[in-house]
Amino acid sequence: MTDGTNPPSHPQPEPAPGSGGYGFPPGPPAQGGYGYPTPSGGYGYPQSGQQPNPYQQDPGAGYQQDAGTGYQQDPAAGYQQDPGTGYQQDPAAGYQQDAGGGQWSPAPAQPGFTRLAGPDLPGSSQPDWEAMADRSAAERRKKRLWMLGGAVTVLALLAGGGTFFLLGGDDGQDAQPSNSASAAPEPDDSKGPAAYTATVAGDDTLLRDSYGGMGIRLGPDLKVGALGKRFQVVGKGNGNSWGQSAEPVVDVTKSFTVTARAYNSATKGSRIVMSQGDGESFSFELGVNEVNGKQAWIFRVQTGDKGAAATTRTVTAEGLNMVKTPTLLMATYDADKKAIALYVDGKKAGETPVPPIWQAPGPLQLGRSKHHNIWTGPWQGALHSVKTYDMAFTAEQAAAYKEGKLDPSPKPTHAWLLT
């Protein structure tokens, strides 16, 4: 900084032969570095037997010389030289040079100044380019692994999502097999526990009863699978496609209703959704049978011993799409009216009077029925929302159940494979 006038010009002479350059002594720098005093006076100071530094400014330029300290810079410039330490930086900059080792260290606090915080300045550090390159390569490898893992997960989900048949929701809309379809909510009367599981904890072959304590043991080829937020079982249509409770579930001497959602994939033959009895014959059976040479939904009860044809009563629903069509089935027995009825997708298919139903020994069956000591009607397709009630639903209640609008008062006695 100057006093506002241009300082006088002093032309710079050529360096003397053998010298180290303008204002520098010949030979290598003295130990201690630039700006440190040396026995010869240090760089920037006149040396014995040598011309004075041509950069020495006269007092007229705003600097004054003091024989005791060398050169003292104008206070307006902010720097003061001290023979003991070299140069002391302006206190506002916060660093003081140490003549002993060339390292800058924080200067002591000065009145009226606040030293800026920050790390000590390194002498001459260079970035570790190799380490930085290694870190960058490691980050790229990590990113590629994450992307590869996500792609594998998506492919695995897509591959497993289409394993099972998808059934229709409560609104009656058909649901074709799809990897991303989700089922509609259950009717209000059948909502199970919030953390629902299809099987008993620790046993994935025993269906859990949401309203009673009657599990259903699954055969080797009746498997549990996910159906959106629901669960279902899928049968292969062979002798191992069955499930069986430990004890009878329905009291056939009193009014009852049984219901299930079914997806039949068999094009011919008898296919039983559920029945009860494991003796010589069944008490009741609900499923598919051939009527007049074509498949039809049927509900049949046994009114006499040993399953003789003359002692059975049947209600049928003919002329419907039977194959790969999600269907809600409901069968009732009204003990007061002594009549059975069959409902398909909430609509009454038929009703017929019956004598008292024969109480065959044995438990509830899924996917098969006993005829003259022979298991028949192995289920091929999917089943879910299997329930029993200790009352006979009316036509109005059956329709409301289909729409998911059934009054919550009728509670199932047993239920499996819910939401």
Side-chain angles (χ1 to χ4, degrees):
M1 180 180 293
T2 69
D3 60 359
T5 63
N6 293 326
S9 173
H10 297 277
Q12 179 175 323
E14 292 295 326
S19 68
Y22 300 108
F24 294 90
Q31 184 175 6
Y34 304 113
Y36 292 84
T38 67
S40 61
Y43 303 125
Y45 294 86
Q47 193 175 26
S48 175
Q50 188 175 347
Q51 292 297 323
N53 187 343
Y55 286 100
Q56 174 181 336
Q57 193 171 10
D58 63 28
Y63 296 90
Q64 62 180 5
Q65 182 179 9
D66 185 331
T69 61
Y71 296 98
Q72 177 173 329
Q73 191 174 1
D74 181 13
Y79 297 92
Q80 173 181 320
Q81 183 183 13
D82 185 337
T85 61
Y87 293 101
Q88 176 174 322
Q89 191 175 359
D90 179 16
Y95 290 92
Q96 171 181 307
Q97 185 180 14
D98 182 359
Q103 176 67 37
W104 293 84
S105 61
Q110 299 294 331
F113 294 95
T114 300
R115 184 166 61 87
L116 300 177
D120 291 344
L121 298 176
S124 61
S125 61
Q126 292 293 331
D128 189 344
W129 299 108
E130 183 176 355
M132 293 173 64
D134 290 343
R135 286 195 297 271
S136 179
E139 289 295 328
R140 289 194 297 270
R141 287 194 298 271
K142 183 177 180 182
K143 184 176 181 180
R144 286 196 297 268
L145 289 174
W146 275 105
M147 293 176 66
L148 179 60
V152 170
T153 301
V154 170
L155 290 175
L157 290 174
L158 291 176
T163 302
F164 302 104
F165 294 111
L166 299 183
L167 305 183
D170 290 331
D171 58 1
Q173 295 178 352
D174 290 348
Q176 298 303 321
S178 168
N179 292 331
S180 60
S182 59
E186 277 292 307
D188 291 340
D189 69 298
S190 60
K191 287 183 179 179
Y196 181 79
T197 57
T199 56
V200 174
D203 190 347
D204 59 2
T205 66
L206 185 63
L207 295 183
R208 188 175 70 84
D209 185 352
S210 295
Y211 284 87
M214 192 67 64
I216 294 181
R217 180 67 61 187
L218 299 178
D221 289 332
L222 191 63
K223 302 290 188 179
V224 176
L227 176 63
K229 295 182 179 180
R230 302 173 185 246
F231 295 92
Q232 62 182 353
V233 289
V234 179
K236 295 183 178 181
N238 58 29
N240 290 322
S241 302
W242 55 266
Q244 177 176 286
S245 64
E247 300 175 3
V249 169
V250 178
D251 184 352
V252 296
T253 66
K254 300 177 181 178
S255 296
F256 66 85
T257 295
V258 294
T259 182
R261 295 182 181 276
Y263 186 93
N264 170 46
S265 59
T267 59
K268 60 182 179 180
S270 175
R271 306 293 173 178
I272 300 302
V273 172
M274 75 174 85
S275 68
Q276 184 163 287
D278 62 357
E280 291 188 53
S281 188
F282 60 91
S283 281
F284 69 85
E285 60 181 8
L286 173 65
V288 178
N289 200 8
E290 289 194 358
V291 178
N292 298 322
K294 294 182 180 180
Q295 285 186 323
W297 295 111
I298 60 100
F299 176 46
R300 180 180 291 124
V301 298
Q302 187 72 253
T303 61
D305 197 4
K306 301 182 181 181
T311 61
T312 62
R313 298 290 187 273
T314 305
V315 179
T316 64
E318 302 179 54
L320 302 176
N321 292 328
M322 302 294 302
V323 181
K324 296 182 180 180
T325 303
T327 305
L328 169 62
L329 300 175
M330 180 178 289
T332 67
Y333 169 62
D334 189 327
D336 295 332
K337 292 174 56 177
K338 291 185 173 54
I340 59 173
L342 174 63
Y343 298 85
V344 178
D345 289 332
K347 298 179 181 180
K348 194 172 187 178
E351 180 180 283
T352 189
V354 296
I357 298 175
W358 176 58
Q359 192 169 6
L364 185 75
Q365 306 288 330
L366 289 184
R368 65 181 182 179
S369 180
K370 199 70 171 287
H371 284 225
H372 306 292
N373 282 320
I374 298 174
W375 290 113
T376 63
W379 181 254
Q380 181 177 327
L383 301 171
H384 81 127
S385 296
V386 180
K387 305 173 194 176
T388 65
Y389 294 81
D390 60 0
M391 58 174 289
F393 277 26
T394 65
E396 292 74 19
Q397 287 174 319
Y401 182 91
K402 169 63 177 62
E403 299 298 327
K405 299 177 181 179
L406 181 67
D407 185 273
S409 57
K411 297 294 182 182
T413 54
H414 303 277
W416 305 270
L417 299 166
L418 304 180
T419 53

